[in-house]
Each structure stands twice: as C-alpha cells, then as structure tokens.
C-alpha cells in the first residue's frame, strides 16, 4: 500500500544581507570592471592605436582649422584645378614602387625587409625616370587624351611628386615595422601645420591654383625629408647602399620573386582603385566645369578627415597585428569582425551628421559659394563610411593571399562605378545625380567586399582547426 502521507520539505533560511554588504559587493563589481577596462587600455595594441590616432587627429584638426580660411582665399575653381593635378599624381603613385613598399612590414627578418627597402627605392627611381621621359616626348598627346589642359604647365612636377611620395611610403612602412608610431604621428602633425600655413600665406599673396599645386608638390618632398630624419633611430642610412652589390643582387632577385604578388596583383588593383576614385574629378571637369570638380574635391576631403584620422591610425597598427596573427595561426575572422564593428560604432556619428546636415554645415563653415559641396557630401558620406569600414578586410587580404581576387574585384568595381556615374549624368543631366549614383554603387560594392573577406577568413580558420586537430590526433597515437 502506497504511503500518501505528506512529506514536508524544509529549506534553510536565506542569509541576511546588510546594506553595508550590498554596497561592498557593488563596489567590488565596479572595481573589477574598472580594472578590466584599465587593463585593456594598457595593452600595447590599444596604446599603439591611441598614439597614432592622437597624432592623426592633431594633423587633421590643423587641416580642418585652416580649411575655412583657405576655401575663402582660393575658391571652387582653384580647388577643382588642384583636384585634377592631385588626381593625376594619385593615379600614378601606386605604380612608383609597384607596391613593394607595402610588403616591408611582412618579412620575419630585418635583412629581408631592408632588401625590400632597397628594391622599392630602385623601382621608384626607375618609374619616375620613365614617367619623365614619357612626358617629355608625349605631353601634348596626354593632355589632349585626358582633357587636362588646366594643369598642362605643371605636369613636369609629376615625376618629382612620384619619387618623393614613394620615399615617404617606403620609410613610413619601415617605421611601422619598427613600431615608431609616436615619431610617425609627430611627423604628420609637423607636415600638416607647415603645408597649411604655407597655403594660407600663399593665398594672401597669390590666391590661384598654381600656388596650391606647387605647395602640394612641395608637401611630398617635406614629408619624405621628415620621414627620413625620424627613421634614423632604427635605420642606418649612412651604411645603406642604394645600388646593390654583386652579393646582394641575387638576394634582390629572390626577394622580388618572393613578393611578386604585390606588383602582379596589388599594384594594378591600387592603380585601378585610384583611377576609379579620380574619375569623378576628371569627368566633372570635362562634363561640367572645374568648379564642379572643386565642390567634389572639398566634399571628398572633408569626408576623408574622419576616415583618415581613424582608419589610417587603425590601419598602421592593425596591419602588422593581422600579419602576426596570420603567422601564428590565430583566428583572423574574429579580428576582422571585431575591428569592422568597432569602426562602425566610431564612424556612424560623424558620417551621419554630414549625411543629414551637409549643405548647412558647408555653408556655415566654408561660405555661401560652397553649399553645393555640401550636397555632394551627403552622398559621399554613404560611400566613404562603407569604405571606412572595409579597412580591416582590405588589410587582411594581404595576409589571406587574396590579392588576385582584389584585382578582379577592382576591375568589376571601376566598371560599375564608372557606368553608374555616366548613367546618372545621361538620364538626369545633373552633376549631383552623377555623384549620387557613383557613391551608391561604391557603397554596395564595399559591403560585398567585407562579406566576402569575412567568409574566406572563416574558411581558412576552419582549415587551420582541422589541421591542428589532425596533428593532435597523431601525437596522441
């Protein structure tokens, strides 16, 4: 017979917690969180990012502070002509070292990195010399083909800009390798202050496009000199021979072959990207006027400010970090996702403000004649924000060995963006419609790039995990 007697269950009484004890628990929790946050801020990676970011913020703040004065001194047309000159040089700059300079960070040994430095310098000299020869014999053909009559008399500056820009890139990559972030940041500030002061002073004396172009060319020379001075702590220029000896020539051939994917894939990709970025300036000049190009240049420059002081600072530190993670077999996909989300959280406010209040902000800051630049900036904010977010993905492509994909992607990208710009012009006969369609196409393409790289990095990590598991199984056997 089943016993149905009720079984009574007793529980021990809950412990009595005083208000003082609750305060102590809360204090301990806060102390724990603060210690974790403080520990995070003390990490070398964060400190490096903070150092570069602060320097870049100062440099960009200087440029932003001078912009209202400089725009009022020169006007949209002068900025448009300067934009054409900068577009031509920016298209050619990636070819100066065939992007060998970008690979300086990657080798495990300093000797290989120095060989890449030498190779990059020799390539830059050769490319600048060839460019000078082409201009000497074919200047008129180039001017008529590209419709750049407005800068014809300044084309002789292009080879000089190419060489000194390459020198800056080479030395900067070496300094990034040696983690000279503070020196790099200091140089950015000095260079920005010097050039913007010169532009303001030149605008008071001779407020024409020629002043802006000459000072822009001089800025590349100044940056190269400052970089070489800053790199003396880690690079002995006095004992460095630019011309290879018979003993180092074979090493140069070997290093050129080992990193041949950079000139084969990376250089054409960056070249095509530069062409696609410069096309709006050239097309707006030829289809509308230099003033239209000037509106675009100012809008793009202002949108680049938040992108540069965050993206560049982040990239200078993230690139060697992702390279190190690749060498160690770490989870690259997680790094890319976290970095992309972090940039999204930081960038959405400045880009969002320009997208919403662009015309009012540009009129208030730069004057009534720059209101149209604010209209351009609204669309540029969308595209630039997505380009800002793809920084971790683009840097990870070098580590994931996806440079062939990036070249193919850039070919598709330049085709679609150019087609979008022409369609906006043909159907609407409006410069704003052309810029808007160009920016929308660029934004969609950047989203596709980010998703593809994350997908590929996840597959690579899965292969690494499988390989590690197989090794562990063999060891257990």
């Amino acid at each position: 017979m089943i016993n149905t007697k009720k079984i009574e269950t007793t529980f021990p009484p809950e412990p009595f917690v005083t208000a003082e004890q609750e305060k102590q628990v809360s204090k301990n929790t806060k102390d724990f969180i603060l210690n974790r946050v403080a520990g995070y801020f003390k990490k070398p990676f964060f400190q490096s990012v903070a150092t570069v970011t602060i320097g870049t913020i100062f440099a960009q703040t200087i440029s932003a502070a001078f912009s209202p004065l400089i725009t009022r001194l020169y006007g949209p047309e002068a900025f448009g002509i300067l934009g054409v000159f900068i577009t031509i040089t920016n298209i050619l700059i990636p070819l100066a070292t065939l992007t060998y300079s970008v690979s300086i960070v990657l080798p495990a040994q300093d000797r290989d990195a120095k060989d890449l430095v030498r190779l990059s310098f020799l390539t830059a000299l050769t490319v600048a010399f060839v460019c000078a020869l082409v201009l000497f014999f074919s200047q008129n053909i180039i001017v008529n083909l590209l419709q750049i009559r407005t800068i014809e008399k300044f084309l002789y500056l292009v080879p000089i800009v190419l060489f000194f820009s390459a020198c800056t890139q080479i030395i900067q990559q070496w300094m990034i390798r040696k983690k000279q972030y503070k020196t790099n940041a200091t140089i950015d500030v000095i260079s920005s202050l010097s050039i913007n002061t010169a532009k303001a002073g030149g605008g008071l004396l001779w407020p024409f496009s020629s002043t802006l172009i000459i000072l822009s060319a001089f800025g590349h020379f100044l940056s190269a000199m400052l970089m070489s001075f800053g790199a003396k702590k880690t690079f002995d220029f006095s004992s460095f021979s630019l011309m290879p000896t018979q003993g180092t020539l074979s090493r140069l051939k070997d290093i050129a072959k080992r990193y041949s994917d950079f000139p084969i894939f990376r250089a054409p990709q960056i070249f095509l990207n530069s062409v696609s970025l410069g096309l709006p300036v050239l097309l707006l000049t030829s289809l509308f006027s230099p003033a239209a190009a000037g509106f675009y240049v100012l809008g793009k420059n202002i949108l680049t400010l938040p992108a540069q002081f965050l993206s560049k600072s982040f990239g200078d530190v993230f690139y060697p970090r992702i390279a190190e993670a690749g060498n160690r077999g770490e989870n690259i996909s997680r790094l890319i996702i976290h970095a992309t989300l972090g940039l999204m959280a930081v960038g959405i406010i400045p880009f969002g403000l320009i997208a919403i209040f662009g015309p009012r902000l540009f009129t208030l800051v730069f004057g009534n004649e720059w209101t149209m630049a604010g209209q351009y900036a609204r669309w540029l904010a969308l595209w630039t924000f997505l380009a800002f977010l793809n920084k971790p993905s683009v840097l990870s492509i070098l580590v994931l060995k996806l440079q062939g994909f990036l070249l193919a992607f850039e070919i598709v990208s330049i085709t679609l963006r150019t087609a979008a710009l022409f369609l906006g012009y043909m159907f609407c006969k409006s410069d704003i419609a052309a810029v808007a369609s160009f920016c929308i196409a660029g934004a969609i393409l950047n989203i596709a790039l980010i998703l593809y790289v994350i997908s590929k990095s996840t597959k690579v990590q899965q292969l690494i995990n499988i390989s590690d598991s197989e090794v562990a199984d063999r060891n257990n056997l």
Side-chain angles (χ1 to χ4, degrees):
M1 185 175 180
I2 299 174
N3 185 7
T4 58
K5 185 178 179 180
K6 184 178 179 181
I7 301 173
E8 294 183 1
T9 305
T10 60
F11 296 94
E14 293 185 4
F16 177 74
V17 180
T18 64
E20 190 65 31
Q21 288 175 324
E22 286 184 355
K23 289 181 181 179
Q24 185 62 38
V25 170
S26 177
K27 181 178 183 301
N28 291 340
T29 303
K30 290 179 181 178
D31 290 342
F32 173 77
I33 295 172
L34 290 174
N35 288 335
R36 290 293 298 270
V37 172
Y40 178 76
F41 279 99
K42 290 178 181 178
K43 288 184 178 181
F45 178 80
F46 181 85
Q47 289 181 343
S48 299
V49 172
T51 299
V52 181
T53 301
I54 291 171
T56 312
I57 286 175
F58 273 114
Q60 297 301 334
T61 301
I62 291 170
S63 297
F66 275 92
S67 291
L69 173 61
I70 292 174
T71 52
R72 284 173 169 82
L73 289 172
Y74 291 96
E77 185 172 349
F79 266 83
I81 296 173
L82 171 66
V84 174
F85 177 80
I86 292 177
T87 296
I88 297 300
T89 55
N90 284 349
I91 288 173
L92 296 176
I93 281 173
L95 301 178
T97 67
L98 299 180
T99 65
Y100 272 123
S101 59
V102 182
S103 64
I104 291 171
V105 176
L106 297 178
Q109 303 295 326
D110 277 352
R111 190 181 79 161
D112 291 341
K114 286 184 177 181
D115 286 338
L116 284 169
V117 170
R118 182 180 287 107
L119 179 63
S120 299
F121 272 121
L122 291 172
T123 305
L125 277 171
T126 304
V127 171
F129 179 71
V130 170
C131 180
L133 287 179
V134 171
L135 285 174
F136 182 78
F137 290 106
S138 308
Q139 181 171 329
N140 289 333
I141 297 175
I142 294 171
V143 168
N144 293 328
L145 180 65
L146 299 179
Q147 293 295 308
I148 51 174
R149 186 71 60 184
T150 53
I151 64 163
E152 181 178 7
K153 59 183 177 181
F154 300 108
L155 287 178
Y156 65 89
L157 292 174
V158 172
I160 299 173
V161 170
L162 286 185
F163 177 71
F164 285 112
S165 176
C167 292
T168 301
Q169 292 176 9
I170 295 165
I171 302 171
Q172 187 176 50
Q173 289 299 316
W174 175 266
M175 292 171 69
I176 290 173
R177 176 184 177 83
K178 290 300 181 180
K179 296 181 172 59
Q180 290 184 266
Y181 301 120
K182 183 179 291 187
T183 305
N184 210 335
T186 303
I187 290 171
D188 283 344
V189 173
I190 295 173
S191 180
S192 178
L193 180 61
S194 302
I195 296 302
N196 281 285
T197 301
K199 285 180 179 179
L204 293 172
L205 299 174
W206 191 256
F208 299 104
S209 58
S210 56
T211 304
L212 290 174
I213 291 174
I214 292 171
L215 290 175
S216 175
F218 175 74
H220 290 280
F221 167 77
L222 178 63
S223 294
M225 294 301 101
L226 291 173
M227 283 288 176
S228 61
F229 180 79
K232 284 184 177 181
K233 294 180 181 179
T234 58
F235 196 97
D236 187 5
F237 288 97
S238 61
S239 62
F240 178 75
S241 175
L242 182 60
M243 298 305 298
T245 62
Q246 192 164 5
T248 59
L249 187 59
S250 60
R251 290 212 317 268
L252 279 183
K253 291 180 180 178
D254 177 69
I255 206 78
K257 184 177 180 180
R258 196 188 316 169
Y259 292 93
S260 59
D261 55 331
F262 282 84
I264 293 173
F265 297 117
R266 182 69 170 174
Q269 178 268 319
I270 296 181
F271 172 75
L272 290 174
N273 182 260
S274 301
V275 170
S276 67
L277 293 177
L279 270 177
V281 176
L282 299 177
L283 292 175
L284 287 170
T285 302
S286 60
L287 296 176
F288 296 98
S289 67
F295 295 140
Y296 179 89
V297 168
L298 181 65
K300 188 71 169 63
N301 287 345
I302 296 302
L303 265 298
T304 303
L305 286 177
Q308 278 187 344
F309 79 72
L310 295 171
S311 181
K312 181 183 180 299
S313 306
F314 172 85
D316 286 350
V317 181
F318 183 79
Y319 182 32
R321 174 68 184 93
I322 199 72
E324 181 183 349
N327 291 331
R328 293 180 177 179
E330 297 180 29
N331 193 328
I332 295 177
S333 60
R334 185 182 300 168
L335 285 173
I336 298 171
I337 292 170
H338 287 178
T340 303
L341 292 176
L343 291 177
M344 181 184 295
V346 171
I348 194 162
I349 292 177
F351 288 106
L353 287 174
I354 294 179
I356 298 171
F357 303 108
R360 293 182 182 178
L361 290 174
F362 274 68
T363 302
L364 176 66
V365 176
F366 304 109
N368 293 329
E369 60 182 342
W370 292 99
T371 304
M372 186 62 71
Q375 296 285 358
Y376 286 19
R378 284 184 141 170
W379 294 103
L380 286 165
L382 173 65
W383 172 42
T384 310
F385 178 56
L386 270 301
F388 171 66
L389 296 186
N390 79 7
K391 187 73 171 180
S393 299
V394 172
L395 291 172
S396 300
I397 281 173
L398 303 177
V399 179
L400 296 169
K401 304 293 184 181
L402 296 175
Q403 302 207 66
F405 155 75
L406 191 58
L407 175 58
F409 176 85
E410 204 59 59
I411 293 172
V412 174
S413 177
I414 190 173
T415 303
L416 293 179
R417 283 190 286 183
T418 304
L421 191 147
F422 269 110
L423 288 173
Y425 167 73
M426 290 173 60
F427 284 102
C428 301
K429 301 297 181 183
S430 165
D431 52 341
I432 294 179
V435 171
S437 56
F438 179 84
C439 293
I440 292 171
I444 294 172
L445 288 164
N446 278 320
I447 293 173
L449 175 65
I450 293 169
L451 295 177
Y452 180 83
V453 172
I454 291 175
S455 173
K456 279 293 184 181
S457 64
T458 302
K459 291 179 181 179
V460 169
Q461 189 60 42
Q462 290 172 350
L463 292 175
I464 292 174
N465 293 338
I466 292 172
S467 178
D468 290 343
S469 178
E470 290 176 350
V471 171
D473 290 342
R474 292 196 195 99
N475 291 336
N476 290 333
L477 292 174

